Every structure is written in structure tokens, then in C-alpha cells.
Amino acid sequence: MDDIDIMDMDIPDPDELQWLEANSHLHDDFDYDDNDFQQPFPEEIDTHNTHHTPIPQSQPPPIIPLSTRTDSNKRPQLEPPISTTVDSKNEAKLDDSRKRSRVEVEQVVDDKIDDEDWLPPPVPQVEQVVEVFEEMIVSRYASQIDGDFVPVTGPCGDRVYAKISRFGSDDLVKKNKLDSNAYSNGLIAEPVSLLMQRVEQEAVEKALLESFGPEGDVTLPKVPVVNERLWVDKYSPNSFMELLSDEQTNREVLLWLKQWDPCVFGSEIKTTTEDVLSSLRRHTSVAQHQKSNKSYFGKNKEPWQNRETFREYKKSDQENSDSKGSQDLWNKNRKGYGTPEQKILLLCGPPGLGKTTLAHVAARHCGYRVVEINASDDRSSSSIEAKILDVVQMNSIMADSKPKCLVIDEIDGALGDGKGAVDVILKMVSADKKSNTGKEQILEDQSAKGSSKKKSRDTSLLRPVICICNDLYAPALKPLRQVAKVHIFVQPTVSRIVSRLKYICSKEGLKASSIALTALAEYTECDIRSCLNTLQFLNKKKETLNMIDISSQVVGRKDTSKSFFDIWKEIFQKKRVKQERKSFNGCKNVLNEFDHLHSLISNRGDYDLVIDGIHENMLQLNYHDPLMQKTVKCMQNLEASDIIHQYIMRTQKMSLHVYQPAIVISIHGVIAQDERPNIEWPKSFQRFRTTLMEKVDILHLWHNNMTPYISRHLSIKTFVEDSISLLLHILSPPNLRPVALHLLTEKEKKDLVQLVNTMVSYSITYKNIKSNPVSSNLRHEVVLDSSVLTFDPPLGDLIHFKDYISSHFVLASAMKQVLLHEVEKQKILQAGINRSMHLTDVCKENQTLATDKNGRSQSSRSHFASAKKMVDVPNPSKLRECETAAPPASSNTSTSIRNAVATKLKSTESMKKPSRANFNFFERFKKVGSEGSQSTETVQRHPATIERDSRPFLFKFNEGFTNAVKRPVRIREFLS
Amino acid sequence: MLWVDKYRPKALDKVIVHQDVAQNLKKLVTEQDCPHLLFYGPSGSGKKTLIMALLRQMFGASVEKVKVENKNWKVDAGSRTLDLELTTLSSTHHVELNPSDAGFQDRYIVQEIIKEMAKNRPIDTKGKKGFKVLVLNEVDKLSREAQHSLRRTMEKYSASCRLILCCNSSSKVTEAVRSRCLNVRINAPKEEEIVEVLEFIGKKEGLQLPFGFAARIAEKSNRSLRRAILSFETCRVQQYPFTNNQLIPAMDWEAYLLEIASDIMKEQSPKRLFQVRGKVYELLSNCIPPEIILKRLLYELLKKLDAELKHEVCHWAAYYEHRMRLGQKAIFHIEAFVAKFMSIYKGFLISTFG
């Protein structure tokens, strides 16, 4: 592909060589072919090269819209984008020495390559040395220059501002000693090919001299020298156009970086003009809402025509991306603080596609010094915070240092540690967001004054931060994802990779057929790094790349785990096999596929989820299955997997997990289809689990609220199965008329009482909830007001099935209201009764104790019997009382309670009488204590009392009455 | 109160359905000694009723005075201490609990509670009963470990503690535990017995039962006494006086399952299987046990099926139920059964109708 051959290179003149050596460091950095991004006025740069020959400012530069360039995909020869390399060192050197300029215009080498295969050749095509004169003002700070100036970025990232000279030159390279007669042909003095050769020759010389190239130069060893550098580093792209990654992504990254310019470099700088920006914008995706901060209409020297075209672009842009507010934002952003909307760029994609390279190249291109933090660095939260603050907030103090750009590589790599970095960044971003609103006013003032643009914000991000990750959906990145501008890398086309590989191979003298290279690229999934490493490895072994190598595992496979979606896709989709290969070794193919799937699945692990995904999506496939036999087979496989899983979990024999992938593969064999499956994340099982848990919880809660007499016979597990429907029927009888209570007949009243009773005993009531129209699929649609009365434990939900209309009658809301009221009343009533019951219980207990002992010790058998009887008699009667108190509750609440209390009091009074007839209260115990209590009755008491033995026991006697006694006693005293 | 609870027999003498069992139990208890007992039988057959009646027989009415407690245990399990919480019902003589609620830590619960009861052993052995009773519900849901730990504790503390185990299926209780207990099988009541109970309740409530009405309820009740009484009460609430052809309300999930069954019969395709899956999920998420779903589904399908397929379908249902018990995700197995059925049925349709 390259017509530059090493062999027919001519030896350069000695002084040329000398010069080249002196400037050798410049050759490290390739020229940027797309200087037009930031240097829209190439002819202005030309002014540097002119020896005081004035360039007329009125003469407009021949600006060619970017679109046409990319369409043609050829480098425009008419307008050579020349970069000015101004190094401080260089400058110094140039200042004292002779004034010589050399312009080498780039050359389009590969005209024959068509559009897709077109590849930016990584060799330096333009070598240019700029002569800067003393009177030309070049400064690192824009403010030091008065008058017009241009920013100039060197390939090494140095950025300076050069004052625009009044004078232009028309004879550019008159002093070129080398070949002046070639000048008539174009801008440069000698043929480009010659220049190229010379440059390369020089590089060769240098390589020979030093035997180890300093950094990043494209030395081309004539003889195989000891060169330990990895090809990956050696051929890594150094300029923007050499990037292999997707062009659109590249552009967007660059655009995003450029949006920082006002913040980082100060806002007066004209780095990019409107048309470049707009053409950049037009290349970005339609959906992207770009908010560029830079639109400087002010000193625009564009011809009107261009402005008009720009407007058109802009209009079309707005039409396309229906971003109405972008204009406003645009204008607003112009005013002041110049940081992009999203302050963090998140690049993600599989390894080896060039994310890190892109970040570095783009950042350097925009004039930043790249500071990289990657997984190998210390990533504890505190250290990383210090580091980030260092990079992001410090404005460079030293004059020659460039602003820094932070690249956090592999941010998803170490989860726990990576989180530290994420947190720090998030904190900054959020702080910035907050301060922005408050600062808006101040900023406007500041911009009005037009003064200092370097505001000291405490915790805000002042420098671009680029984060790089492989897995966008890593949990640690979740918060970052929301605030960052995310770019997902896509695989470059195989042909692009292959052409680059071929180029490198030819450079390195490795023979490789393009078929083999294609296979390699496919095999590594377009991972250029892996490709290059493989090639270098083969080169070292003095082997040639052929098909067998790739298939025979010479090539190292990455141990990548793919995402679940990819796995499911692989399972459901047949690998497309080329026909001829199939005929050759169909058997081998099957084997390969088996291997591939097996490693894929076992690399990912978590078979449970894989199986779930298969289960979820399996039936959505379009496989031909008239007798459902395939489905049965698959279901049996799924079952087997489930059983194995359960067995493994029960016995903890984790080694059995190895059999899981085989099951998946057999499913693949049955139902894999050619067409692309539509895969969804398996949610239904989880959803089922959560709803089940919810409902079980509801039931549990309800179960616990019931009285034990009922709840003990009611199992939650079988409740829905055999009672709920009937219970709901019972709870909403259809023949209950929604009328006032006093209008009900005797029978209806009885029914109502019964119903209320049931509801109370099952602790069911009605509750106001906000009605949602979704759940009201019952017959009962009359309720239009916002709240609806439903059962308090939402029992109704348990019989709501999808697409099922239950035949349950629903009471009118008035009736529900009545029921709710009654139930509440009944509850209060019962609480009262319980309290009184409890009171009598205590009394009764004491009583029986007392009488027992009494009877035994002192009084006659008959006496005891009578007492006993008296204990027994009021007990059921009271129970009856309580029960009967319930039905007429609606009418006479208070009386029933009074009744209950009254009877209780009466009973206690009557109880006390026999004992008090004989003894003083306390004497009785003493006497009992002296007696040996051997009778069976006391024994029977023991289990009950023994428990309370340890605790002090409050004995209350006729509390609230004049004869009341209160004294702490121990049960022991009763027993001894 | 519902009739189910209202007319629950409190004493062993009062029971209607399992009189023979009740009498045997009574004899057993009156001889002062009581072995460990294991009650098993289908739900709605009266296990708990019998157990409560038995306890009452043993300890008298004081057994009925229970308190609900949310007990906390701190269990020292090797290196760490576990905090367990469980609701118990306890009277002075017995403790009831449902250890399977504690999940996989159930074995600690079982051990701890028995130990605790043994510690608080009644002092006076001369008394009527020198032991307390621990009622464990749903023993079949206990983990294997819990069951194993149960068998040693059962022996060790047998002097102070008697166990009454209650479960649906004795096959899920380990042999070791079963052999340490007196197994009492409580059958599902026969339909005549159910009719008898219903008539008894009808008489108590003063209702007029048309001839054959109770029999119809009994027939629909799936031989579950609880369900029969509940549907009886439902009928009473919905329409009284009864008519002979009164509609006996069905369970909602059964009606839903009927829909599923007719879906399956109408079309046999993966798409339909997918719809069926959704509906089965609905049932499962509403706390219907998967075994019941499978059983009922088979029942509904069999009703619609040609005689020559019945045998095969039953065979496969059993096969898949077995696999379901081995596995974990019930939906897979139910779905597999449905797929198998679809396959068989479709093959049959094609072979008969071409």
C-alpha cells in the first residue's frame, strides 16, 4: 500500500543530516492531519514561515468545509494543513541560528485505496520547521499578546499563541537550499516523495546511531536490529487521524474536549471557528444534544457566504436533532463559564479497541498534558482524591507546563477501589452543579467586565476528566453514568484493521496474507492490541502467519467474559458458517462451536442466570416445532439444570457446576436459529419471587394479628388454596342491604352482627386507600372518588389473577363504611372486655389459690367444694356475658361493659366472703405456710407457678376499694 | 366467628369425623404416659383439632389459655452467634411453634426450644404430668438438618418433654424421627362424614337443609372439612333458604386453572406455552403451592381428555412432579409438563384427525 520503499532511498546531504539530527525530536510526533479542527486559518500559520513578508488580511483563507473533505476522503492537496511546531527549545535554537524554513507539504500516498480501505498512514507526512523571528510574538498566554493572534498547538501538545503578523509572504521557501527548482510546481521546493524518503532515511540513521529510538518514532530498521519495543507501542497512533477507532466517536470526544477550551485556556481564544464547529456538530449523531460553549461571532473574519452556510448547518442541525433549547443554551454558554454540560467523559468498550489511545491522542491534540491514573496505581479514596484535585483544580504555576487532562483508565477494574475515584469525581461534579446556579450572577458580572476568567472554585472541576472502562454497567459506575457523557466504542470494521495490520506487517517485513490477517482480526474480535502482539510474537519466532496458526491456538485468546446478552444471543443464534468450509469439515465446525460456547458460558459463570435467560426468551424464538418436541426437549434440559443446581446447592458439591454449560449447549443445538433473537433480561422469575414474598408477608402479618384460637388452625400455606375465596364470599354477603341500622330486620341485624364478629375475630377491617384504576378490575366500578374502602389485609389481591374476572360480590361503599364503623366499635368493646376479663382472671386465680389452701388446711370439705363451685360458676357465666355483650353492642355499648364490670365485682365480692369469714388476709398465708402442702391440687398448680417463681408478683386485692391491700409477695410465699 | 371455628370440637369425645382415632388417643393419654406423636394427613382433615383436643384431655382447660410470644434466641453456633426470632404460642403446659418459619436456621430453633423446656421442667414429678408438650407444625417443611438434630434431642429430653409433630406428608419426615414417634394418620374425611358434620352444624344453626345439598357441598369440597364448612357458610350467606340447585362457589384459583386448562386444549404451540407460563406465574405468586397446581391441572386436563391418553398423561404428570420436588424452580417443571402434554396431545390429534 505504500509506495515508499526503503531500498531506493538516497543519502541526504550532510548538512541536511545534521539539521535533521538536531531536530530529531520533532520527528517523534507526527503531524496532525486534521489541524483544521483547531487551526482554521492555515494561511495565518503560514505567516510564521514568511520572512516578514506581509500577508494581506483582507485575503480570505480558502476554507473548505469539512464535509466535503470527509466525503472525498482524500487529503486536500490544495490547502495543506500545516502545523506549526513551536517548542521552547526549538525556539531558542532557532532564534540564535540561521533563519531557515522548511515546509514539507503532506503527500497523499494512497490514492488508489478506496474509501473504506482508506487509512491514515502513520508515517509523518508533513515535516515542518518553523522559523520564528524575534519580532514575532509568541507567548504561552493569550493575554500577553495584543492584537490578533492564533493559538498554535504543536504535535507534542504545546500550545502557544502567536501574534498575527501584518505581513504575509508569497515566496515561501525561497531560501530552501535543497531543491529550488521544484518550487515552481507548488508550495514546496522538492517533490514530496523525496522529502519523505529523506525523513525516513534520517530516522534510519538515527536508529542506527542510537540503536534504541527514544520515544515513539517510526524508525524503520533496515537490518533487523535488536528492537524490544512492542509493536503495540511502536505503531500506536500518534495523531488524531491515525486512530483506528470509529470516526464519529473520535470526533465527539474531540468536540467534548474542545468545549473545555474557554475554561482552560481562557475565553478570548479563538481556537475553533464556527464553521469547523458546526461541521463537527453535523458529524455528531443526530440525537446528541450538543451544547458547545464556543461560538464567537465577534471577530469572525469569515466570508458572509460561510456564515450563511453555517446558519444553514445550524438550522438543519436543529431540525434534525429537534433540540429546541440548544440555541438558547448555546447563547447562554457563550456568556461565561466555559465548561461543557457534562464534565466527565466516559468511554467504554471491549478491550483493545483503542479507548486509551483515543483519550491520550485527543487530549494531547487539544493541548493538554495527560495525567493517567490506572488500575495499577494506588486507588484508595484519599490518595486518589489528592491526585485528582491536583490535576483538576491546580492551575499550572510553571510557565511552561501545559494544562492537565485527567484520564482515569480502567475505572471499573477494581470495584472497591475504583469507587473511591468515582466518589471523588461525583462530589466535584455535584459541587459544581450547586455552585453554578449561585454563581451564575457573578459570572455574568465578570463576563461583563471581561476580566479574569480564572475563577477559583473550591471543589469544582476545572479540567477535563476522561474515564475509561470496559463494562459500562458495572455497579460502581452507576452514579457516574448519569452525570457523564458516555461514548460506547464499537468495533472498527475488519477491513480497516486488516489494512493497518498489513501496513505494519510490511513495515516489519513479516509476510502475512490478508486472508490470514482477516482471520486473525475476526478471531480476536478486532482487538488490535491482541492482533499486534500475536503478529510480533510470530515475527520473533520467524514464522509466517497462516490460517492454521490461528485455529491451532497459537494465538492467545483473551479470557474475556462476555455480557449475558451476548451469551444468550450466541445460544439462540446459529453461527453463520460459510458454505465451503462447512462442506470441508462440518464435524470440526461443530466441535469448534461447542468449544466456543462452552468457554463462553463457563467464562461468564452464574449459570442460574443464564438458564433463567434461556427460559425467559426461549419461547419467543421462531423455531419450527409442529409437535412441540423441541420445546419438550428444551424444557427437559432446563429441568435437568434446575435439578443439578438444587443438588449442588444442597450438597455443596460445587465441582458439579462444570456440567451446566453442556446443558446450555444442548439447548443451543435444539433451537438455535439463524435470525437475530430479540432478547430480554429475565425479569419474570424475580418479579414472581418478590410478589410472592410480599403476599406471604401480608399473610404473616395478618396471621399474627389474629387471636391464637383461630390462627393456630389456619395455615398460611394452605389458606389461599382452600379458604380465601370462601372467606371473601362470606365477608361480603350479597343480601345485606345498605340501609341504616335501625331499618334492618331482626334477622338482618343478626347477620350483620355475625359478620362483624367474624371480621373482628379474623382481624379484618376496611381501610381507605387511594384507588388506582388498574386494580379496580372488579365488577365494582361505581367508585369515582379518589379513595376506596378495601380490606385491610389486602385479601382481595390474593385472588386477583391477570385476565381473570372473579365473581365476588363487592359491597357498596356505604355498607363498607357501616361495617368499618361497627368493627372499630366492636374492637374497642372487646378490648374493654378483655381488660375486665383479665382483672377477674387475676382475682379468680388468687381466689382459687386461697380457697384451695384454705379448704385443705382449715375449713371443711364442703366449704371448699362450695368455694370451688362458686369459682367455677361465675366463670362460664361471665364468658357468656361477654359473648352476649357483643351482639347488642351496637345499641348498648356502655351498659354491657358496666354489666360485665358489675358482675365481676359481684363475683369477687362473693369469692372473698368465705375466706374472709375465717381469716385475716395475711394470716391465712402464714398458716398455710406452716402446713405441708402435699395434696394433688397444689401439685397441679406447680407448673404454672414455677415459672413466675423468680419474679416478684404484684398481688392486688380489691383495688380501688376501701378494703384494698397492696403488697409485693413472692409466689414462693404462697407455696412454702 | 366462622362456623369452622365455632363448631370445632374442643374435646376428644365431641369429635365427629375421626372418632376411632380420638378414642384411641384418649385411651393413650389416660394411662398417664404419652409417647411422642406424629400426626400426618392432608390439610383440612382435622389434625390440629385433634391435637388441641388431645392437649385439653391431657391438661384440662388451662391449655386453652395461651399467649403469643415473639421469642428471641441467641444461639451460639460455633464461631458466631445467631439471633433468631420466632412467634410461639404457649400455655403453661405446652408450646406451639412453626419452626420452618425460621428458614434454614430451623435446627437451632428446634434444639433451643427443647432445651429451654427441659430446663424449666416441672419440679414436682408426682404431679399429673411431669412433662410439657411441644407442638411442632409443618415438620415436613423442616430442613433435613433440623430433623436430624431433632432425633437426638427427642431422646435426650424425653423425660421432660413430649413432642407432637404435625405435617401433611410423613414421607418428608425422616425415618429416624418417624420411628421415634407414634404415627397417627388422619385421613381426609369421607364424604359421608362431611355430610354428617354439615348436618350437625345445620341443626345447631337451625337451618333447613334440602336433601342432597350437604352431599353436593361435600362432593365439591375435595374432602377437606374446612373447605366444606366454609362453603356451607358461604352458601348460607349468599342465599337462604337453600335451594337444591344452588350454586356452590368455586375457588378462584381453580376457576383460573380451568381457564389455563382450556387454553392448553385449544392450542398447542410455544406461543401458547408462553401465555400459560404467565398464568402459572400468577397462580404461583398468589401463594398456591406448585404441587397443587400441577395436580389440579392434571385433574382438569384429564376431564377433557380422550381415555387412551389418560394413562400416559398421568405418568408424565407423576414424572414431572417428582422432578419438581427434586428441583427448585417449580415453574420449569410445571411448564415442562405442559409442554409434554401439548406434544402428546398434538401428536394424538394429528394421528386421529390427520
Side-chain angles (χ1 to χ4, degrees), chain A residues 627-629 632, chain B residues 268 338-348:
Chain A
L627 279 181
M628 303 276 296
Q629 271 154 346
V632 169
Chain B
Q268 295 85 33
V338 174
K340 186 76 194 173
F341 175 82
M342 281 180 168
S343 175
I344 291 170
Y345 189 64
K346 199 154 188 191
F348 169 76

Coordinates of all heavy atoms in Angstrom, one line a residue, chain A residues 627-629 632, chain B residues 268 338-348:
Chain A
L627 N -44.7 -30.5 16.5 CA -45.2 -31.4 17.6 C -44.7 -31.1 18.9 O -44.8 -31.9 19.9 CB -44.8 -32.8 17.2 CG -45.7 -33.5 16.2 CD1 -45.3 -34.9 15.9 CD2 -47.2 -33.5 16.7
M628 N -44.1 -29.9 19.1 CA -43.6 -29.4 20.4 C -42.5 -30.2 20.9 O -42.2 -30.2 22.1 CB -44.7 -29.3 21.4 CG -45.9 -28.5 21.1 SD -45.7 -26.8 21.4 CE -45.6 -26.8 23.2
Q629 N -41.9 -31.1 20.1 CA -40.9 -31.9 20.6 C -39.6 -31.2 21.0 O -39.0 -31.5 22.0 CB -40.5 -33.0 19.6 CG -41.5 -34.2 19.7 CD -41.6 -35.0 18.4 OE1 -41.2 -34.5 17.4 NE2 -42.1 -36.2 18.5
V632 N -40.3 -29.6 24.3 CA -40.2 -30.6 25.4 C -38.8 -30.9 25.7 O -38.4 -30.9 26.9 CB -40.9 -31.9 25.0 CG1 -40.7 -33.0 26.0 CG2 -42.4 -31.6 24.9
Chain B
Q268 N -51.8 -25.8 20.8 CA -50.6 -26.3 21.3 C -49.4 -25.7 20.5 O -49.2 -26.1 19.4 CB -50.5 -27.9 21.2 CG -51.5 -28.6 22.1 CD -52.9 -28.7 21.4 OE1 -52.9 -28.8 20.2 NE2 -53.9 -28.6 22.1
V338 N -46.6 -29.1 30.9 CA -47.5 -28.5 29.9 C -47.0 -28.8 28.5 O -47.7 -29.2 27.6 CB -47.7 -27.0 30.2 CG1 -48.6 -26.4 29.1 CG2 -48.4 -26.9 31.5
A339 N -45.7 -28.6 28.3 CA -45.1 -28.8 27.0 C -45.3 -30.2 26.6 O -45.6 -30.6 25.5 CB -43.6 -28.4 27.0
K340 N -45.0 -31.1 27.6 CA -45.1 -32.5 27.2 C -46.5 -32.9 26.9 O -46.8 -33.6 25.9 CB -44.6 -33.3 28.5 CG -44.6 -34.8 28.2 CD -43.3 -35.2 27.4 CE -43.4 -36.6 26.9 NZ -42.3 -36.9 26.0
F341 N -47.4 -32.3 27.7 CA -48.8 -32.6 27.4 C -49.2 -32.1 26.0 O -49.9 -32.8 25.2 CB -49.7 -32.0 28.5 CG -51.2 -32.1 28.2 CD1 -51.8 -33.3 28.5 CD2 -51.9 -31.1 27.5 CE1 -53.1 -33.5 28.2 CE2 -53.2 -31.3 27.2 CZ -53.9 -32.5 27.6
M342 N -48.8 -30.9 25.7 CA -49.1 -30.3 24.4 C -48.6 -31.2 23.3 O -49.2 -31.5 22.3 CB -48.5 -29.0 24.3 CG -49.2 -27.9 25.0 SD -48.4 -26.3 24.7 CE -49.6 -25.2 25.3
S343 N -47.3 -31.7 23.5 CA -46.7 -32.6 22.5 C -47.5 -33.8 22.3 O -47.9 -34.2 21.2 CB -45.3 -32.9 22.9 OG -44.7 -33.8 22.0
I344 N -47.9 -34.5 23.4 CA -48.6 -35.7 23.3 C -50.0 -35.5 22.7 O -50.4 -36.2 21.7 CB -48.9 -36.3 24.7 CG1 -47.5 -36.8 25.3 CG2 -49.9 -37.4 24.7 CD1 -47.6 -37.1 26.8
Y345 N -50.6 -34.4 23.1 CA -52.0 -34.2 22.6 C -52.0 -33.8 21.2 O -52.8 -34.3 20.4 CB -52.6 -33.0 23.5 CG -54.1 -32.8 23.2 CD1 -55.0 -33.8 23.5 CD2 -54.5 -31.6 22.6 CE1 -56.3 -33.6 23.3 CE2 -55.9 -31.4 22.4 CZ -56.8 -32.4 22.8 OH -58.1 -32.3 22.5
K346 N -51.0 -33.0 20.8 CA -51.0 -32.6 19.4 C -50.7 -33.9 18.5 O -51.3 -34.0 17.4 CB -49.9 -31.6 19.2 CG -50.1 -30.8 17.9 CD -49.5 -29.4 17.9 CE -50.0 -28.6 16.7 NZ -49.2 -27.4 16.6
G347 N -49.8 -34.7 19.0 CA -49.5 -35.9 18.2 C -50.7 -36.8 18.1 O -51.0 -37.3 17.0
F348 N -51.5 -36.8 19.2 CA -52.7 -37.6 19.1 C -53.7 -37.0 18.2 O -54.3 -37.7 17.4 CB -53.3 -37.6 20.5 CG -54.7 -38.2 20.6 CD1 -54.9 -39.5 20.5 CD2 -55.7 -37.3 20.8 CE1 -56.2 -40.0 20.6 CE2 -57.0 -37.8 20.9 CZ -57.2 -39.2 20.8

